[in-house]
Amino acid sequence: MALHRAARLLREPGRVPAAIVRRILPRHPRLGFTWVHLADGSVTFREAGFVSASSPALLLARHNYETARIAALLAGRLFEASLEVGCGYGRLTPTFARCSRQHTAIDINPDALTQARATYPAYDFRPGSATEIPFPDDSFDLVCTWTVIQHVPPDRIAQACAELLRVLRPGGCLLLCEETAIPATTPARRHTWERSESEYGALLQPLRLADSGFIDEIDALPGMRSPGRVMLWVDDADGA
Ligand SMILES: C[S@@+](CC[C@H](N)C(=O)[O-])C[C@H]1O[C@@H](n2cnc3c(N)ncnc32)[C@H](O)[C@@H]1O
């Protein structure tokens, strides 16, 4: 009976629950996990894993509510120089770039950067990591990361946050959207490290939290959750 069932599953692999297939073939490009651990332990994603939703309509709705929140938070501001850390394939780059005279986007994933350049040729995409940002101190008056820092493992989070602070000019703004809800159980194959708002507060001292909240419009969509808590941190030092 068991043999008969196994033979049937081999003939019709679509019947095997996705969660089981992923455990057996975690690295398979089509069947495995949508995230990938690079050689240094950083987490990046296959295209299907960057931003997910159960239908194109919900995916576009999520994107539209995210860009609307960014635009509302940065409304009326024109920054001199902005940096987007972990741009993926650049879907949010035009939204951030609209608020800035000079916008630069970095990511550790060369495939995503190739796609970002092809899709948005007008923008400046470069390789770079949050843990070693390839720019001098005080380079940007806006730094943004959107569901990126949550993928930095515990042994490197202090370094990543120190880097965000290092490149931020006095008086600048740091916009984060990160998972802050700590789950009751932790999956064995981890690719996200949720941190509370107060943990970010400690990591980002001396910045002050000027605005914080989930994207409720996304929470209201069937089967969807806000991608994380949107937090606007500001440096109260006088800008140059
Ligand atoms: C969930 S995706 C989000 C991409 C994009 N911000 C968006 O919302 O579409 C996370 C991105 O962070 C990038 N990433 C992960 N760790 C990083 C690091 N240490 N430095 C820069 N990018 C990183 C991944 O390669 C991936 O493109």
Side-chain angles (χ1 to χ4, degrees):
M1 186 63 190
L3 263 180
H4 173 72
R5 201 178 290 157
R8 184 167 171 198
L9 288 176
L10 280 176
R11 276 198 316 273
E12 300 173 62
R15 287 177 174 274
V16 184
I20 296 177
V21 175
R22 288 201 184 108
R23 291 213 168 273
I24 301 168
L25 299 167
R27 290 174 202 280
H28 191 288
R30 273 191 305 114
L31 308 175
F33 289 99
T34 53
W35 65 87
V36 182
H37 289 271
L38 301 180
D40 72 349
S42 310
V43 176
T44 189
F45 293 82
R46 304 185 204 286
E47 191 178 350
F50 273 100
V51 179
S52 55
S54 53
S55 72
L58 289 172
L59 182 68
L60 290 170
R62 171 184 157 158
H63 177 81
N64 285 329
Y65 285 125
E66 288 173 292
T67 54
R69 175 61 61 92
I70 294 166
L73 279 171
L74 303 179
R77 308 282 305 263
L78 183 61
F79 295 92
E80 283 302 315
S82 53
L83 176 70
E84 179 183 356
V85 177
C87 57
Y89 57 84
R91 72 182 178 102
L92 297 175
T93 301
T95 305
F96 292 125
R98 231 166 264 138
C99 316
S100 170
R101 287 189 202 282
Q102 194 181 352
H103 184 68
T104 307
I106 63 172
D107 202 287
I108 52 171
N109 183 328
D111 296 336
L113 288 171
T114 300
Q115 191 170 330
R117 287 188 192 107
T119 314
Y120 305 103
Y123 299 108
D124 182 7
F125 294 101
R126 304 189 195 187
S129 172
T131 52
E132 217 169 315
I133 297 179
F135 294 100
D137 298 1
D138 304 339
S139 291
F140 304 98
D141 50 353
L142 172 66
V143 176
C144 29
T145 88
W146 201 264
T147 64
V148 175
I149 300 303
Q150 65 192 31
H151 300 304
V152 175
D155 60 339
R156 269 174 274 168
I157 187 63
Q159 188 185 341
C161 289
E163 280 291 273
L164 298 175
L165 293 173
R166 180 183 66 74
V167 296
L168 189 68
R169 283 183 191 156
C173 293
L174 173 63
L175 180 59
L176 301 185
C177 175
E178 305 296 342
E179 185 63 80
T180 53
I182 316 283
T185 55
T186 304
R189 285 177 196 278
R190 254 192 127 164
H191 69 298
T192 302
W193 288 268
E194 303 78 6
R195 300 177 174 100
S196 66
E197 203 183 52
S198 59
E199 275 178 272
Y200 277 111
L203 287 160
L204 296 172
Q205 272 182 30
L207 302 188
R208 174 177 61 81
L209 188 58
D211 200 294
S212 174
F214 296 103
I215 306 179
D216 298 330
E217 297 89 337
I218 300 180
D219 279 326
L221 297 171
M224 299 284 286
R225 280 180 60 226
S226 175
R229 180 179 279 278
V230 183
M231 297 170 275
L232 181 66
W233 300 86
V234 296
D235 180 5
D236 285 325
D238 282 343

